[in-house]
Amino acid sequence: MHPVPDRPRRLLLAVDAPSLLHRNHHARAHTRHRDRGGRPAWALHGMLRQIIESIDSFAPDAVIFGLDDRTASVRRDAYPDYKAGRAEKDPELVDQLDRAGALLDALGLATLTPPGLEADDVNASAATWAGANGWDCVIITSDRDSFAHISEHTRVLRLIDGGINGSPLLTPARLRSMYGVPAERYLEFAAVRGDASDNLPGVPGIGEKTAAYLLSHIGSMREIWADIEYDEGRSVVAALDAWAAETGARRTGATVLRRLSAPGARETYEFNLRLMSGRTDLDLGLTPDVPGTPGLLPLDIERVARVVGHLDMEATTALALRVLTGDPASVPRA
């Protein structure tokens, strides 16, 4: 259970809906659960159940759901092999992906499908919006892309096996303990490493440990490239060889310098950085000072009963009525 803190700031929950749907499709397909209209609903039900449990745990003031544009992709236009190699989606999953936005909208929650973009871009913009408006933010996803937005006021609940309560809530300190890099350098770290799930190769020959050490002990990749370009990489070599001396490992400074200086290495990094960077300027349509607008909690009790009830899971409907129609934690109690 992730406890609700006694907080002065309001909280925005940003949910990567496709990520949850994919996980729940594979975890719950054996149930073959269908809604009252007879359509496949196991992924939708699992997603909604996890969302309700998250709202119960975090008591946010507003919730926004990012959805992928399934008709166009600016990243695939720039890199036709983007996410190539992934298995073709099950038609029953596609059906539920297509219906997710309408289900969430019908509940009165806020959704955004940015043209040509993905749920990751909504997450990035949500973290930015929260920071600009004095809110905290929790991003819920099963992907690593949102780790780049972790900060003092933005945490990431990365869904893994075990559901909401069994999943880690990542803070800057926890992220650093996992990868060895400060949160503000995670995007650079990922661009050097690459991302096999998106079919983005990293800089050849540079592993996670080396990338993390460079970013922790030298600074940003911009500083590293500048050292290579203007000072023959002396700081890079010295830092890596000092690391080797401390740990008793073999000296790798000259080898790493050659790999970073190889033709195409910097171009690979900068290309990955562009594709991995989430858009931070999307209009989320959130108007927290206008009661009753989409995304704000609590929700209308009749809508919740009707919409969740259509999924034909009595226990989930009861949970939704309790959680979604009550006041968030920031509302003063009498």
Side-chain angles (χ1 to χ4, degrees):
M1 184 73 175
H2 301 287
V4 177
D6 181 15
R7 60 175 191 257
R9 297 162 65 98
R10 289 190 281 183
L11 175 66
L12 173 64
L13 205 62
V15 183
D16 180 346
S19 176
L20 270 65
L21 284 162
H22 278 84
R23 284 193 68 83
N24 280 286
H25 171 69
H26 296 296
R28 297 172 180 261
H30 67 281
T31 69
R32 313 307 297 170
H33 179 71
R34 295 179 178 270
D35 62 22
R36 289 178 178 171
R39 300 182 72 175
W42 54 86
L44 289 169
H45 171 252
M47 174 195 71
L48 191 58
R49 181 84 191 193
Q50 289 187 322
I51 290 163
I52 296 167
E53 290 172 354
S54 300
I55 292 172
D56 194 26
S57 179
F58 292 106
D61 298 85
V63 187
I64 185 158
F65 294 85
L67 296 161
D68 298 341
D69 183 348
R70 294 170 36 72
T71 63
S73 170
V74 296
R75 291 179 175 88
R76 191 168 291 110
D77 290 345
Y79 178 49
D81 288 333
Y82 181 64
K83 296 187 178 181
R86 293 191 179 188
E88 190 170 340
K89 291 183 177 66
D90 184 327
E92 291 176 314
L93 170 59
V94 172
D95 177 69
Q96 293 175 82
L97 285 166
D98 289 341
R99 292 154 53 204
L103 169 69
L104 297 167
D105 288 338
L107 269 173
L109 294 166
T111 67
L112 180 60
T113 308
L117 299 173
E118 306 170 13
D120 295 330
D121 297 291
V122 180
N123 291 341
S125 290
T128 302
W129 182 94
N133 287 275
W135 287 44
D136 289 333
C137 182
V138 170
I139 297 171
I140 299 179
T141 181
S142 62
D143 294 333
R144 295 184 294 183
D145 303 302
S146 291
F147 292 0
H149 314 307
I150 293 173
S151 69
E152 180 184 357
H153 293 295
T154 294
R155 297 164 291 165
V156 171
L157 181 69
R158 190 189 183 196
L159 287 180
I160 57 174
D161 295 339
I164 296 297
N165 294 327
S167 296
L169 184 63
L170 303 183
T171 62
R174 191 158 187 178
L175 183 73
R176 185 156 197 160
S177 72
M178 289 170 60
Y179 292 102
V181 292
E184 62 270 19
R185 298 273 180 248
Y186 179 81
L187 181 59
E188 297 172 65
F189 167 76
V192 173
R193 178 199 62 201
D195 190 336
S197 68
D198 287 343
N199 198 36
L200 290 171
V203 176
I206 305 298
E208 285 197 356
K209 288 185 178 179
T210 300
Y213 187 85
L214 290 171
L215 288 164
S216 294
H217 290 79
I218 297 180
S220 69
M221 284 304 299
R222 178 178 292 183
E223 293 171 281
I224 291 167
W225 296 124
D227 180 61
I228 292 171
E229 184 173 354
Y230 297 109
D231 196 28
E232 300 179 346
R234 287 185 173 88
S235 294
V236 171
V237 173
L240 288 167
D241 286 350
W243 180 32
E246 290 172 10
T247 60
R250 65 185 181 87
R251 291 159 64 98
T252 60
T255 300
V256 170
L257 177 61
R258 282 197 301 273
R259 289 170 176 169
L260 289 172
S261 304
R266 186 168 183 175
E267 289 76 9
T268 294
Y269 164 78
E270 291 179 345
F271 182 76
N272 286 350
L273 196 67
R274 288 195 300 273
L275 256 68
M276 291 177 172
S277 296
R279 283 279 299 274
T280 60
D281 59 347
L282 299 177
D283 182 1
L284 304 180
L286 294 174
T287 51
D289 296 324
V290 182
T293 55
L296 300 187
L297 297 171
L299 302 180
D300 178 74
I301 191 168
E302 291 184 2
R303 291 179 73 169
V304 170
R306 184 172 62 252
V307 175
V308 181
H310 186 71
L311 293 177
D312 203 22
M313 290 293 287
E314 190 174 324
T316 299
T317 302
L319 180 64
L321 287 168
R322 178 178 67 81
V323 173
L324 301 182
T325 61
D327 287 329
S330 64
V331 174
R333 300 302 193 259

